[in-house]
């Protein structure tokens, strides 16, 4: 049985550009060793935007050495990058961008959503790349809700949407560079579900809505991240209310993490090279 190691709460609120009011749940500056291969989580809790003709979001900015994963629960997000890839995602959709050797991208509210306004909620994860893949070619995966397998849990306990990895013989559509599971889980109040996960892998539960009990004692509330101990293979979750949560699970990379703003590498020499490449227009591979 997996046991709770600790609960992580927000490091504070900030705006990303003018379109994403987020809580920084964790980053490579605090618990990257405990969360490897995951580097960062920003949570834009449910809010509402008024209709506008202006572009709300964050303008062009660089990345190198990792992947960004944007999961939309409400609203609409548009992406465009220096490889000329991009698209617009809405509720249930995912953008999985590989920065790799270098990419410059921008993210804004989708045009349709900007015109109508309304509720907005999303998560952005940063997923580390193994050292051997840090300089891989950049890429983009636009994953629609229809492409994400949905598995019904036993006894009408809820559903698991498999974004990456596998659950109950259903494989998620996201291509990853290391072994991981990223599941969008919906649990019905009063239900108890057991999940079997690999021994020794990082496991964490982030609750967006509802109350979830782990084991016999630990209640996880909205905007809390429950980080589990590495030992054990069975995770038991009891939904005390209807709940929406994100389950993160992955093989730790056990490699040095050196981050500076939008760059995450293994050494300061590599960070300095990334900064120099960006300043001299060499960041994006031809």
């Amino acid at each position: 049985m997996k046991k709770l190691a600790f609960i992580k709460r927000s490091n504070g609120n900030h705006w990303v550009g003018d379109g994403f009011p987020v809580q920084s749940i964790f980053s490579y500056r605090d618990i990257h060793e405990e969360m490897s291969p995951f580097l960062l989580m920003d949570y834009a809790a449910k809010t509402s935007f008024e209709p506008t003709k202006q572009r709300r979001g964050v303008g062009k900015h660089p990345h190198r050495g990792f992947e960004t994963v944007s999961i939309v629960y409400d609203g609409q997000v548009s992406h465009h990058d220096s490889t000329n890839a991009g698209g617009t995602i809405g509720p249930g959709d995912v953008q999985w961008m590989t920065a790799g050797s270098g990419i410059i991208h921008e993210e804004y509210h989708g045009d349709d959503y900007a015109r109508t306004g309304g509720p907005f909620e999303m998560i952005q994860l940063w997923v580390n790349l193994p050292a051997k893949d840090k300089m891989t070619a950049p890429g983009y995966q636009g994953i629609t809700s229809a492409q994400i397998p949905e598995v019904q849990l036993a006894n009408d306990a809820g559903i698991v949407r498999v974004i990456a990895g596998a659950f109950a013989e259903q494989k998620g559509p996201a291509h990853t560079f290391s072994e991981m599971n990223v599941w969008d889980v919906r649990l019905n109040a009063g239900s108890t579900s057991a999940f079997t996960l690999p021994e020794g892998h990082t496991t964490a539960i982030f609750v967006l809505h509802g109350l979830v009990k782990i084991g016999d004692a630990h209640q996880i509330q909205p905007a809390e991240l429950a980080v589990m101990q590495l030992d054990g293979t069975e995770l038991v979750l009891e939904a005390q209310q209807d709940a929406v949560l994100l389950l993160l699970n992955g093989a730790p990379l056990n490699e040095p993490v050196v981050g500076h703003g939008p760059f995450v590498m293994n050494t300061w020499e590599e960070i300095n090279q990334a900064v120099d490449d960006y300043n001299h227009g060499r960041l994006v591979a031809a």
Side-chain angles (χ1 to χ4, degrees):
M1 182 83 69
K2 282 194 170 293
K3 296 181 180 179
L4 180 71
F6 60 89
I7 294 174
K8 181 70 171 64
R9 299 176 180 86
S10 172
N11 294 327
N13 301 340
H14 67 279
W15 281 80
V16 178
D18 63 357
F20 307 109
V22 304
Q23 302 173 51
S24 177
I25 305 301
F26 69 90
S27 80
Y28 57 75
R29 296 184 180 91
D30 47 33
I31 59 170
H32 70 82
E33 291 184 2
E34 296 88 343
M35 286 302 300
S36 179
F38 306 101
L39 289 168
L40 175 149
M41 176 189 284
D42 278 348
Y43 173 46
K46 183 166 284 191
T47 187
S48 187
F49 285 92
E50 295 296 322
T52 183
K53 294 181 180 179
Q54 297 179 341
R55 295 185 81 195
R56 289 195 185 108
V58 57
K60 292 179 180 178
H61 58 283
H63 291 299
R64 174 180 277 180
F66 61 97
E67 303 183 284
T68 66
V69 180
S70 300
I71 305 168
V72 174
Y73 294 86
D74 252 322
Q76 197 180 55
V77 176
S78 292
H79 161 100
H80 186 264
D81 64 48
S82 50
T83 71
N84 213 26
T88 299
I89 59 172
D93 300 338
V94 176
Q95 289 175 339
W96 196 296
M97 185 193 78
T98 303
S101 61
I103 205 166
I104 297 172
H105 77 143
E106 56 184 356
E107 298 164 286
Y108 286 91
H109 292 181
D111 291 341
D112 291 343
Y113 171 76
R115 280 192 292 269
T116 63
F120 188 89
E121 183 178 23
M122 69 172 287
I123 283 176
Q124 185 169 92
L125 292 170
W126 288 12
V127 177
N128 205 3
L129 288 170
K132 65 181 180 61
D133 298 311
K134 286 283 188 185
M135 297 297 285
T136 195
Y140 172 82
Q141 304 171 71
I143 302 169
T144 66
S145 181
Q147 294 173 304
I148 299 173
E150 188 174 291
V151 179
Q152 296 288 332
L153 294 171
N155 302 315
D156 194 33
I159 61 169
V160 174
R161 301 176 67 243
V162 188
I163 296 169
F167 177 74
E169 300 183 353
Q170 293 292 319
K171 192 173 186 308
H175 169 267
T176 67
F177 287 81
S178 62
E179 187 178 349
M180 71 183 66
N181 294 301
V182 178
W183 300 342
D184 173 20
V185 182
R186 316 296 172 101
L187 298 177
N188 295 326
S191 67
T192 300
S193 299
F195 301 88
T196 301
L197 298 162
E199 178 87 22
H201 284 202
T202 297
T203 301
I205 306 297
F206 181 71
V207 175
L208 290 84
H209 303 285
L211 294 174
V212 176
K213 190 176 179 183
I214 297 177
D216 296 328
H218 303 290
Q219 185 185 75
I220 315 304
Q221 302 186 50
E224 291 186 337
L225 180 80
V227 181
M228 310 304 295
Q229 296 179 10
L230 297 179
D231 297 338
T233 60
E234 186 177 62
L235 176 66
V236 177
L237 301 179
E238 177 189 332
Q240 297 183 312
Q241 299 174 354
D242 287 347
V244 177
L245 58 94
L246 186 68
L247 187 150
L248 303 176
N249 170 258
L253 297 183
N254 296 321
E255 296 174 345
V257 171
V258 179
H260 178 69
F263 308 125
V264 183
M265 303 299 288
N266 301 110
T267 68
W268 275 109
E269 289 78 10
E270 291 170 330
I271 291 291
N272 292 335
Q273 186 65 60
V275 172
D276 189 67
D277 287 345
Y278 175 62
N279 288 337
H280 291 88
R282 300 188 302 265
L283 182 72
V284 180

